[in-house]
């Protein structure tokens, strides 16, 4: 039994001792350093660029501008290739640009013997611009007279809509209609390890790229596309990586380092972004403006939800409209019995480019949906949990968007468990007393709840494929190679547990090859969409079964006992009476080294997954607000998750703590600020960009409702992104509960609270 | 058709442009440099060692002596593990030694921030020795009173004998008996890239070793044994390597770098030997003393050969007696119809340690056999080629040592072809005229011939196993991963040709992963015993068939045409009328990215080989000798090989040119010289160790007799080692032909010729 136990992370010791090596720890002797020249305006065109002084600086080996790069537009989104051309990502980028689309856009790059020289060279490049008005929001970007950021686009990246059920009829017949507009902000991933990649050539036509990427196999494809060279001539290697949260599901630096080494005779060239560059010139979360209507009956039935979304992707499409699309599809499985309509547009603007970020549109849409749900509950005079209990999905419901049955839905149990564990009803009474006892009304307490549903992978929007390879080592241990990428989330450990479970050996006997190398690693699109545990488990389980079978067949050959009389247990082959017959080590040595029988025992499975499964969960939060100080304190916060079978409870809890922490930070303080006139970014650093630290974080608690998802090898569902989805609306609802003030824009910072409290005449 | 064509080497451009990276080109930032302290005596014991001053030197991070190392004796020979304990290699080494066994033995090691500091530190280590008499030869080492180099060994490493047929009877009844004693010298491999390895830890218990090794998988096993850690905790990576010739079929540096990084908290540590260290402190070729008797009848029938061999392994066993054993077994397939007896002993001595070197004992034994054969031909008054034609093997003969039929033997055809191409009979007449026309007799010309047989791999002495993995890439190309190691011989190219042949695609569509990594590379013991083309071809052929089948199955699914109506040709799937139906690229994209069908198309085969096949060949040489100057000029030299089907004619010829060149150098000039009293090595550098350069090399020519070996997937047999085997005896026989002087000791240097000519009263 390995699955379901809190196995220590395989990489725990390597990471706490500092022995784990990341991309920048694995460079080559003589590596050169590249640095970008970023635009100092948000919108415009370079009218002149003079690199001669930079090139003349000793130690500078190359300066390249938009004039020097291949004219092959490419998309950077980390999606598996789509056979349908219409479903592919917008190819709207070149390696460098003459047309500046946001403050920080890349117009040139310098390569030098060291970073200091490269920085000096950047300062010697002389640039002049023709500046255009900055288009920052929906109205500016989509105005008929607006200048196109990308020719022929009309500044539109994509739009789509869906409708489940008869929304107009439901709106017309409902007892009550609630309306609201919700706006989310620009936030950034702030993974610990900044973007870094380097490349060199080990042949006249073969480029090796080492990168901190979530998506090595996709990265390879995009590098080959951007440089217009065959895919087999590019090799991408992903070592240990210090977080990504979706920002490394974009191909940001790899095409450039590949281009540079190709230009410079194959010498190794590294690009390592600073935190400042990461904050503005990688990717951010799409700000959403959501207009939403909610129709309810007096008995508490949710009749309809109608959403109208505008998503702002900034200067380049990146994941573009996929995010608004994905966001819309994930509401339905939560409230499958309501009529739901969704329409969305994604537009360009002169803001930093938005891409994938944990939740992939869901945090934005859940903020709107769970806020309006709260308004409805209050309108009806219902308890917030009761109202949701009446409307959320249950196992056996049909997802109207796919027509498929929801095989496991534990959201009701999550709400029940949360209510009980959180002492919801008790606290409600206590707060009522507390708030009325507080004579001035200055200190208030409130409760909030919010729910979410989320997928496990990208199917059917994208192909879902995973590969696993296992090798019985000479010492009886098993090496596992998977295409799935460990990016800090603990997937290697969970995969080792799955493999151990199927093989019948302890996790300590599994070695997971954590480095992915496109030359040798089984194919897998990478780490995103909370897909890995769900999608990869199928391949791992099958490979485990296959290798175990091969082990038993060799044992049968050695022992002359029928295969069905044998099994693997711990480090040995045993018989049906639990007698140890043969150690796996002796078996392995025989398989490798017997002169006539046996072979290296391996198993390899590549497998597509044509199902998806919905995870559910909710956040319950208790806040105390000092109205005069506009200070919010989270007294308690608890997430309850239905992620199916929990493979590793401690790691699962760790995911939740991290996700909730990120959710709190995004709800209360984070915001990348752009000048409303010029589009200049004000706070591209961690001093001015307010990310919550440990000091800002309350105690976070969590629990699980373990449903069994029948489409997964171990009954498991997604958990990577879900923990943050319902945090912001739960806090928003708790503020409403405490103060009566509805915060419909993120972040709900002290400044925003001040504005809102003043408008409400609380201060 | 790819097999049989002179495909350009896959690594040609990378190597000539310098883009190919070798072990020392792939280090990590901050790598530390280690250097050995070598003994200054050949035999003795360290009585004191003071490392305090070295340790105190700034920049020195560690000094370790024999007192600090694990007390786990290990063997360094690169053999696949043997399930039979009696057949395993002598475990007679520790990482460092207190008991000095040869001049250059390793007694301490220093690690410093750079090489200069390490060198300085070495000079600060104070050592005193108790010196023992040096035991340098058979008599000294095996004297009853001799001090044991290794306790309990009696200075014997191994002995064995075999007899095929009734040798005493044949000797008693033959018309003539020839006797001789032949002595070969110490020579060294002199591969271009010296021994180099480095290691670091990426976890608290996982060591990564990068090494210039012929045997990554074996190396891993030996490192784990020497450090007494599980095999799965060691990972060995072999990048491009600049030659080995068997010297890197020994595990020389890897256990030490693994030990050092483990001692020093996982920091990267490199050991890179100098040429001087390589020459004395890695491995050399075993000097053989061969006493041989040859019985013939007047009709030219070889009745018997009786060999008595003493092999000198120096201070440590390394491959030890395996070499004398292998050498003996390879004579029989050449003369399978003669009675043959062989007895051999391998002893220790206080000389540098001998190990595997191209030919693995055969160059020594062939020198003796083909010299005595020449004596016999002359005794009988027969032409040298005619005499051999009468006695060499032919297809269908039985190898009396194995009882197995020789499935292909083209040595007669080689001799016929050689005689014709070399104008042997014409030259013979010309020389007769030339030699008698030379009035003083000072300038003489002569012809020599010598034959050999050689195996293809190590079976049945060792297990023969190989693995191949193939992946259809997204661009329709195929990546091939093999355990077999490219060490400069061109095996990657030949394997690509084999894969292309089976897949039906061009070689340009194949990418061979040249780096072996024990974590991910299919198992294969490595590059030695001229095994790769023969042993690996079976796995490659099967994997190629399997992947082709999977490609066609996916095509069948896409096209809805039966598999047997389809085949692969060039870059596409075609039908039986040669219509192109589908490009492999489109097929691959569908397999990877279709949402419901397909998968990553791969094939993996691990396979044992339980046959062996004998290659044959001969050298024909024409020399001119200036007796007064003791100067020998090779006027022409030609090798004719039966290596079965030739996969790549140009690369095959390249192997022959290199092998013949090495053979000439070893025959005429190379000798590592030891002081006969002290065992000190005089000439551990390439100024004093006389290796032939291009200037010393005559034009070498070659041709092939392409037999078909039915046990090989492509009819192919070994060619790596064979080219040098018959060179020295052919030259020796030509000298005899020209001068009447029999040179029975190598090298046949001007100095040796002087001694012999003077003894023969020619000068």
């Amino acid at each position: 039994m390995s699955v379901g136990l809190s196995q220590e992370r395989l990489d725990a010791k390597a990471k706490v001792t500092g022995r784990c090596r990341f991309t920048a720890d694995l460079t080559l002797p003589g590596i050169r350093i590249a640095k970008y020249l970023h635009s100092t305006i948000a919108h415009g065109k370079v009218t002149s660029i003079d690199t001669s002084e930079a090139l003349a600086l000793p130690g500078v080996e190359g300066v390249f501008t938009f004039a020097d790069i291949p004219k092959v537009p490419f998309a950077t989104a980390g999606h598996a290739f789509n056979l349908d051309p219409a479903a592919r990502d917008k190819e709207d980028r070149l390696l460098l640009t003459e047309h500046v689309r946001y403050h920080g856009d890349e117009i040139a790059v310098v390569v030098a013997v060291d970073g200091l020289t490269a920085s000096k060279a950047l300062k010697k490049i002389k640039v002049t611009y023709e500046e255009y008005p900055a288009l920052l929001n929906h109205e500016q970007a989509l105005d008929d007279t607006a200048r196109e950021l990308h020719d022929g686009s009309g500044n539109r990246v994509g739009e789509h809509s869906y409708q489940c059920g008869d929304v107009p009829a439901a709106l017309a017949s409902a007892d009550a209609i609630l309306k609201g507009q919700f706006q989310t902000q620009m936030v950034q991933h702030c993974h610990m390890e900044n973007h870094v990649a380097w490349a060199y050539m080990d042949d006249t036509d073969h480029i090796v790229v080492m990168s901190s990427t979530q998506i090595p196999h996709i990265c390879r494809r995009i590098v080959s596309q951007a440089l217009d060279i065959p895919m087999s001539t590019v090799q991408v290697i992903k070592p240990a990586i210090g977080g990504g949260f979706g920002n490394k599901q974009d191909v940001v630096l790899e095409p450039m380092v590949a281009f540079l080494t190709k230009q410079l005779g194959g010498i190794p060239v590294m690009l390592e972004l600073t935190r400042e560059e990461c904050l503005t010139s990688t990717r951010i979360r799409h700000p959403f403006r959501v207009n939403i209507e909610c129709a309810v009956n007096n008995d508490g039935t949710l009749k309809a939800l109608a959403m109208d979304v505008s998503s702002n992707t900034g200067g380049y499409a990146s994941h573009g409209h996929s995010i608004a699309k994905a966001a819309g599809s994930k509401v339905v499985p939560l409230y499958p019995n309501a009529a739901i309509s969704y329409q969305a547009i994604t537009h360009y603007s002169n803001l930093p480019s938005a891409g994938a970020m944990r939740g992939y549109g869901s945090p934005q849409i859940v903020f709107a949906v769970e806020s309006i749900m709260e308004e409805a509950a209050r309108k009806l005079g219902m308890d917030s949990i009761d109202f949701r209990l009446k409307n959320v999905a249950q196992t056996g419901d049909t997802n109207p968007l796919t027509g498929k049955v929801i095989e496991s839905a534990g959201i009701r149990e999550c709400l029940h468990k949360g209510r009980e564990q959180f002492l919801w009803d008790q606290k409600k009474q206590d707060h009522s007393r507390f708030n009325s006892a507080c004579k001035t009304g200055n200190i208030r307490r409130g409760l909030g709840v919010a729910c979410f549903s989320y997928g496990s992978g990208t199917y059917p929007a994208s192909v879902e494929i995973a590969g696993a390879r296992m090798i019985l080592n000479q010492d009886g241990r098993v090496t596992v190679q998977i295409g799935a990428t460990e990016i800090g989330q603990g997937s290697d450990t969970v995969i080792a547990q799955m493999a151990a479970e199927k093989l019948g050996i302890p996790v300590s006997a599994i070695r997971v090859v954590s480095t992915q190398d496109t030359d040798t690693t089984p194919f897998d699109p990478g780490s995103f969409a909370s897909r890995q545990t769900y999608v990869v488990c199928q391949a791992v389980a099958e490979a485990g079964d296959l290798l175990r079978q091969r082990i038993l067949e060799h044992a049968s050959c050695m022992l002359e006992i029928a295969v069905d009389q044998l099994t693997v247990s711990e480090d040995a082959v045993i018989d049906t009476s639990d007698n140890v017959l043969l150690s796996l080590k002796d078996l392995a040595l025989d398989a490798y080294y017997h002169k006539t029988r046996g072979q290296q025992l391996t198993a390899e499975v590549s497998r597509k997954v044509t199902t998806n499964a919905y995870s559910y969960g909710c956040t319950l939060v208790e806040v105390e607000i000092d109205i005069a100080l506009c200070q919010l304190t989270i007294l308690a916060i608890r997430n309850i998750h239905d992620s199916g079978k929990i493979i590793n409870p401690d790691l699962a809890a760790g995911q939740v703590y991290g996700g909730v922490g990120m959710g709190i930070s995004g709800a209360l303080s984070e915001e990348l600020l752009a000048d409303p006139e010029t589009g200049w970014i004000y706070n591209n650093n961690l001093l001015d960009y307010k990310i919550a630290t440990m000091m800002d974080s309350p105690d976070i608690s969590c629990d699980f409702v373990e449903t069994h998802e029948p489409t997964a090898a171990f009954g498991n569902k997604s958990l990577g992104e879900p923990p943050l989805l319902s945090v912001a609306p739960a806090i928003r609802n708790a503020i409403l509960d405490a103060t009566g003030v509805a915060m419909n824009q993120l972040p709900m910072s002290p400044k925003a609270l001040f504005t809102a409290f003043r408008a409400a005449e609380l201060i």
Side-chain angles (χ1 to χ4, degrees), chain A:
Chain A
M1 273 295 296
S2 299
V3 161
L5 300 181
S6 285
Q7 164 68 33
E8 180 183 288
R9 283 180 68 120
L10 300 188
D11 55 354
K13 291 195 182 73
K15 283 184 175 159
V16 298
T17 56
R19 291 192 180 190
C20 184
R21 285 180 182 262
F22 299 82
T23 297
D25 301 323
L26 289 162
T27 62
L28 286 176
I31 197 164
R32 308 306 202 274
I33 304 301
K35 285 190 184 287
Y36 277 120
L37 183 72
H38 298 282
S39 73
T40 55
I41 63 169
H43 196 193
K45 191 161 181 171
V46 176
T47 46
S48 73
I49 183 159
D50 178 359
T51 61
S52 53
E53 278 188 43
L55 262 170
L57 194 67
V60 171
E61 306 204 341
V63 181
F64 303 91
T65 74
F66 51 82
D68 305 310
I69 47 102
K71 300 300 180 287
V72 187
F74 60 97
T76 63
H79 290 135
F81 182 73
N82 204 310
L83 294 178
D84 174 11
R88 290 179 200 154
D89 293 294
K90 280 262 181 292
E91 293 169 345
D92 65 0
R93 255 191 202 262
L94 297 175
L95 287 174
L96 296 166
T97 190
E98 182 176 15
H99 182 167
V100 170
R101 298 182 175 94
Y102 71 94
H103 177 205
D105 212 350
E106 290 117 16
I107 55 179
V109 65
V110 161
V111 182
V113 292
D114 55 43
L116 187 60
T117 307
S119 296
K120 284 183 184 167
L122 285 183
K123 291 184 185 154
K124 292 185 180 289
I125 300 176
K126 299 189 188 78
V127 189
T128 61
Y129 302 96
E130 178 189 355
E131 201 166 349
Y132 308 144
L135 311 171
L136 302 178
N137 55 37
H138 183 97
E139 285 69 25
Q140 291 170 347
L142 297 178
D143 187 278
D144 288 344
T145 64
R147 182 183 292 267
E148 285 184 335
L149 270 74
H150 298 272
D151 290 346
S153 69
N155 291 338
R156 289 157 192 267
V157 177
E159 28 196 325
H160 87 296
S161 63
Y162 72 77
Q163 181 158 311
C164 301
D166 189 343
V167 173
L171 288 170
S173 65
D175 293 337
I177 305 283
L178 294 303
K179 296 187 183 184
Q181 187 184 74
F182 297 87
Q183 177 71 50
T184 64
Q185 80 279 42
M186 289 199 286
V187 294
Q188 216 268 342
H189 315 70
C190 297
H191 33 76
M192 286 209 290
E193 181 198 25
N194 286 335
H195 273 69
V196 54
W198 53 273
Y200 71 103
M201 297 184 76
D202 59 3
D203 204 341
T204 49
D205 64 355
H206 189 257
I207 303 176
V208 184
V209 179
M210 182 84 71
S211 177
S212 177
T213 175
Q214 301 174 214
I215 46 166
H217 278 286
I218 293 175
C219 178
R220 179 194 195 202
R221 174 173 58 77
I222 294 176
V223 169
S224 82
Q225 185 192 354
L227 272 61
D228 198 18
I229 54 179
M231 213 177 312
S232 300
T233 63
V234 177
Q235 177 182 2
V236 176
I237 302 172
K238 178 221 77 103
I241 127 166
F245 302 122
N247 201 16
K248 295 174 185 167
Q249 193 202 342
D250 233 284
V251 177
V252 175
L253 304 178
E254 298 89 343
M256 179 53 87
V257 290
F259 167 75
L260 292 173
T261 190
K262 200 157 177 285
Q263 290 295 309
L264 296 169
I267 58 167
V269 179
M270 177 158 74
L271 260 169
E272 184 172 17
L273 297 188
T274 61
R275 178 63 65 186
E276 288 71 15
E277 288 176 296
C278 262
L279 270 159
T280 55
S281 301
T282 59
R283 303 292 176 268
I284 59 164
R285 190 194 290 290
H286 287 77
F288 272 26
R289 187 185 69 189
V290 184
N291 284 301
I292 188 164
E293 285 187 80
C294 170
V296 287
N297 276 356
N298 289 332
D299 66 352
T301 305
L302 174 67
K303 300 279 288 178
L305 282 170
M307 294 164 275
D308 180 4
V309 169
S310 172
S311 171
N312 185 342
T313 202
Y316 296 92
S318 174
H319 286 250
H321 192 63
S322 302
I323 286 179
K325 203 166 173 180
S329 72
K330 286 170 191 154
V331 176
V332 180
L334 181 60
Y335 300 118
N337 300 308
I340 297 185
S341 69
Y342 185 84
Q343 66 176 41
I345 183 170
T346 301
H347 64 83
Y348 288 115
S349 74
N350 295 118
L351 289 174
S353 189
M357 185 173 170
R358 198 178 196 173
Y360 211 75
S362 278
Q364 297 98 309
I365 207 74
V366 172
F367 180 62
V369 169
E370 289 300 294
S371 295
I372 205 74
M373 286 292 287
E374 185 64 23
E375 305 285 346
R378 287 175 185 272
K379 174 87 176 181
L380 298 173
M382 279 182 79
D383 174 78
S384 307
I385 292 178
D386 286 338
F387 176 57
R388 286 173 174 84
L389 278 169
K390 194 164 173 66
N391 292 295
V392 292
Q394 56 188 329
T395 301
D397 279 345
T398 294
N399 176 349
L401 212 48
T402 62
K404 291 193 177 166
V405 170
I406 297 169
E407 304 274 4
S408 64
I411 179 62
R412 283 170 194 240
E413 295 78 0
C414 289
L415 286 164
H416 283 300
K417 197 171 201 175
R419 165 176 251 156
E420 188 181 332
Q421 292 181 339
F422 204 65
L423 306 174
W424 175 270
D425 297 313
Q426 178 67 47
K427 281 184 172 159
K428 208 163 163 180
Q429 289 179 22
D430 293 348
H431 291 178
S432 175
R433 277 195 298 277
F434 179 91
N435 288 345
S436 47
C438 175
K439 289 281 189 274
T440 65
N442 188 48
I443 308 291
R444 312 264 184 99
R445 290 187 176 173
L447 288 179
V449 65
C451 300
F452 71 88
S453 60
Y454 202 74
S456 302
T458 64
Y459 186 82
S462 280
V463 65
E464 275 300 1
I465 176 171
R469 187 182 296 141
M470 297 185 189
I471 299 172
L472 178 67
N473 256 302
Q474 296 166 61
D475 58 2
R477 299 181 179 200
V478 172
T479 299
V480 175
Q481 236 190 319
I482 58 291
T485 52
E486 169 70 73
I487 65 165
Q489 80 278 53
S491 61
D492 281 353
T493 307
V494 164
I495 286 164
Q497 290 179 256
M498 292 173 172
E501 180 84 14
K502 283 290 179 182
L503 288 163
I505 64 177
V507 175
S508 58
I510 302 273
R511 167 164 170 77
V512 175
V513 178
S514 194
T515 294
Q516 276 74 36
D517 177 336
T518 54
D519 252 13
T520 59
T521 299
F523 184 78
D524 182 303
S527 175
F528 52 80
S530 302
R531 59 183 289 280
Q532 294 205 161
T533 308
Y534 180 74
V535 173
V536 178
C537 73
Q538 325 276 9
V540 170
E542 285 179 26
D545 283 340
L546 196 55
L547 181 58
R548 189 166 153 283
Q549 181 65 19
R550 287 179 180 162
I551 288 169
L552 293 179
E553 282 166 6
H554 194 75
S556 170
C557 169
M558 289 175 71
L559 299 167
E560 298 181 348
I561 297 174
V563 168
D564 61 10
Q565 300 299 302
L566 301 172
T567 193
V568 175
S569 177
E570 293 292 315
D571 59 354
V573 174
I574 62 172
D575 66 14
T576 49
S577 311
D578 286 356
N579 297 308
V580 170
L581 304 178
L582 181 65
S583 75
L584 285 181
K585 181 178 178 180
D586 287 341
L587 181 143
L589 288 175
D590 191 88
Y592 277 92
Y593 295 116
H594 192 285
K595 286 181 189 170
T596 57
R597 70 185 175 203
Q599 63 199 299
Q600 185 179 35
L601 298 178
T602 66
E604 182 174 336
V605 170
S606 169
R607 191 191 193 287
K608 288 187 180 165
V609 170
T610 55
T611 55
N612 204 327
Y614 293 96
S615 287
Y616 293 92
C618 59
T619 301
L620 298 97
V621 65
E622 180 187 22
V623 301
E624 180 175 285
I625 296 166
D626 182 324
I627 288 179
L629 292 178
C630 299
Q631 185 180 55
L632 180 148
T633 306
I634 294 174
L635 299 177
I637 187 162
R638 188 170 188 86
N639 266 29
I640 315 286
H641 287 268
D642 160 24
S643 290
K645 171 71 179 172
I646 298 299
I647 309 296
N648 183 319
D650 278 359
L651 287 194
Q655 278 284 23
V656 180
Y657 300 146
V660 172
M662 191 175 228
I664 293 170
S665 185
L668 299 181
S669 63
E670 292 184 45
E671 184 174 19
L672 198 61
L673 293 162
D675 183 284
E677 293 299 318
T678 63
W680 286 10
I681 300 301
Y682 287 145
N683 58 342
N684 70 344
N685 60 76
L686 291 183
L687 190 62
D688 298 316
Y689 178 89
K690 299 294 184 188
I691 188 167
T693 68
M694 276 307 286
M695 297 301 289
D696 305 304
S697 198
D699 281 346
I700 297 164
S701 67
C702 69
D703 205 349
F704 299 93
V705 168
E706 293 198 53
T707 58
H708 179 84
E709 171 57 39
T711 62
F714 301 93
N716 49 295
K717 299 190 287 189
S718 63
L719 184 59
E721 294 161 282
L724 73 75
L725 304 180
S726 49
V727 172
I731 295 173
R732 180 258 183 206
N733 294 344
I735 296 171
L736 178 65
D737 186 48
T739 67
V741 175
M743 303 296 297
N744 293 352
Q745 191 165 340
L746 293 178
M748 301 174 288
S749 60
K751 178 180 163 189
L753 292 177
F754 173 81
T755 307
F757 291 166
R758 172 142 296 188
E761 299 183 353
L762 292 181
I763 49 176

